[in-house]
Amino acid sequence: MTTPEEHEWSRSAPGTEAFKQDYAAWQSLSGDVTKVLERAEATVANRLSSALAKDRLRAGGSERIPDAYRTRVSKYFESIATRTPVVRKP
């Protein structure tokens, strides 16, 4: 066991080491960490968004409509638009 009189003090004070005073390296490290965290956050947000979108009903499909169906629908709406309305007499 040593006594306080025999205690040897450290020659460097905390925080005075050269690597701790290199602020450019700290800023670079901070920027790198920020970029990685933003990228990770974007990845998680995209996964969540796609998972939520999978469960939702679609308002409109992105698939191409067959031409035969498209022409029939067009003819139907044209016939509705050109038809004269029936007026009912009281």
Side-chain angles (χ1 to χ4, degrees):
M1 187 154 255
T2 62
T3 62
E5 291 83 20
E6 296 174 0
H7 178 74
E8 291 188 31
W9 296 98
S10 172
R11 294 179 196 237
S12 66
T16 59
E17 291 90 353
F19 72 91
K20 291 183 181 176
Q21 293 182 356
D22 186 8
Y23 296 113
W26 281 106
Q27 288 175 345
S28 173
L29 177 63
S30 174
D32 293 344
V33 169
T34 301
K35 287 178 189 175
V36 170
L37 287 174
E38 287 174 354
R39 194 175 312 132
E41 181 182 2
T43 301
V44 171
N46 286 339
R47 282 190 210 155
L48 178 61
S49 171
S50 62
L52 292 174
K54 190 185 299 184
D55 294 336
R56 273 187 272 156
L57 293 175
R58 293 187 181 191
S62 60
E63 298 85 20
R64 179 160 165 70
I65 299 172
D67 289 331
Y69 181 76
R70 184 187 310 264
T71 56
R72 288 182 182 161
V73 170
S74 295
K75 286 180 184 179
Y76 170 74
F77 283 109
E78 287 172 9
S79 69
I80 291 174
T82 57
R83 190 180 340 169
T84 56
V86 177
V87 178
R88 296 187 182 188
K89 296 180 181 175

